[in-house]
Amino acid sequence: MNDYISQQLREAAEAHQPDRARMLARVQRGMAGPAGRHRTRSGLRSWPKAAIAALAAAGILATGGLAMAGIGTFPTSPQPTAGPTTPTETPTPTPSEPPASTAQPPAPAPATPTPRPTPRPSATGRTQNGPLWSEGSVDSHSTVYWGQDNLLLRTGQTLTSLTVEMRVAQTGDVRSTGSWLTLPNDDFTVTVQESGGAVVYRWVLKPGRTVPAGQYEFASQFNHATGVRAAGGDAYRVDSQSTGGTASVSGGFAPAR
């Protein structure tokens, strides 16, 4: 009920527009009229005109104040407030897994020459035929588990054909571990195979390639049964051709000194 009355008062106060000028004019006319026209109480006659004007102005102000008071009691509509902001989480990028490697395992490195001094000529390992001279020896770095046979070859003429063969006797668990030569490897077809109770290493010069006059080395490398290995059954053979004709040398491998 109180809310309803307050609402009605507020609406009436808003609709009321007091005419101050008209009210003051009526008060002044009343004060300026003849004394016999209106009979007034004796108490009012003694009031000065200024006091009456002040009362009229006070009434106008009171009426305006009532309207303003009614307006001032309006409830304030609550302003909408923003709710708490939920921070947006930025997803953490998941590191991608590297693709599975498809690379093949690296090929084994080719055998490297064992550094050594030039083999000394020996009565059993040295041979000569025409422009060819050769010498076979067991490498001084051979051990009770591993061995290497060396062939030193010299030619006084350019060779247009050359085949070098080294046979390592199968003395027990002989298995090839590699080979090498001091000529360009791409100029030769190289094979290793077991044949006739030996591991056979063969280098064949490719057609159209030549071997200049000079000194060269060939070597076969292998594992063997544990112990000091006897190389008496090992042998080599070299067949060549040059402008001077064909020439061949062969022999064995002198023990290392």
Side-chain angles (χ1 to χ4, degrees), residues 117-158:
T118 302
R120 298 178 181 178
S122 64
T124 58
R126 182 177 59 183
T127 60
Q128 185 172 359
N129 181 12
L132 295 182
W133 180 95
S134 63
E135 179 184 17
S137 64
V138 175
D139 193 270
S140 60
H141 293 86
S142 298
T143 69
V144 294
Y145 307 103
W146 177 87
Q148 177 173 303
D149 286 349
N150 300 324
L151 174 63
L152 182 65
L153 179 67
R154 295 176 187 168
T155 175
Q157 296 179 357
T158 297

Side-chain angles (χ1 to χ4, degrees), residues 178-235:
S179 64
W180 57 267
L181 72 165
T182 57
L183 285 164
N185 193 71
D186 291 341
D187 287 354
F188 289 82
T189 300
V190 183
T191 59
V192 180
Q193 60 183 358
E194 288 200 38
S195 177
V199 178
V200 181
Y201 299 75
R202 184 178 289 111
W203 295 263
V204 179
L205 185 66
K206 294 178 180 179
R209 311 295 175 88
T210 60
V211 176
Q215 178 173 293
Y216 308 101
E217 293 180 72
F218 297 79
S220 59
Q221 299 173 322
F222 48 90
N223 289 333
H224 58 78
T226 303
V228 178
R229 179 180 178 276
D234 298 352

Side-chain angles (χ1 to χ4, degrees), residues 4 21 27-28 32 46 50 53 56-57 66 78-80 89 93 100 113 121 142 196-197 202 213 232:
Y4 175 77
V27 172
Q28 290 175 1
S46 61
L66 177 61
Q79 297 295 327
E89 296 183 359
S142 298
R202 184 178 289 111

Side-chain angles (χ1 to χ4, degrees), residues 16-148:
H16 178 70
Q17 299 293 333
D19 191 346
R20 296 178 58 190
R22 185 176 179 183
M23 293 173 65
L24 288 174
R26 292 181 61 184
V27 172
Q28 290 175 1
R29 285 197 302 269
M31 294 174 62
R37 188 175 180 178
H38 297 283
R39 296 180 63 85
T40 60
R41 293 182 182 179
S42 59
L44 293 175
R45 292 176 182 176
S46 61
W47 285 16
K49 295 181 179 181
I52 295 174
L55 287 175
I60 296 172
L61 294 175
T63 303
L66 177 61
M68 294 303 292
I71 296 172
T73 58
F74 288 170
T76 303
S77 299
Q79 297 295 327
T81 58
T85 303
T86 302
T88 303
E89 296 183 359
T90 302
T92 302
T94 302
S96 59
E97 296 183 357
S101 175
T102 58
Q104 297 297 324
T112 55
T114 303
R116 65 197 181 286
T118 302
R120 298 178 181 178
S122 64
T124 58
R126 182 177 59 183
T127 60
Q128 185 172 359
N129 181 12
L132 295 182
W133 180 95
S134 63
E135 179 184 17
S137 64
V138 175
D139 193 270
S140 60
H141 293 86
S142 298
T143 69
V144 294
Y145 307 103
W146 177 87
Q148 177 173 303

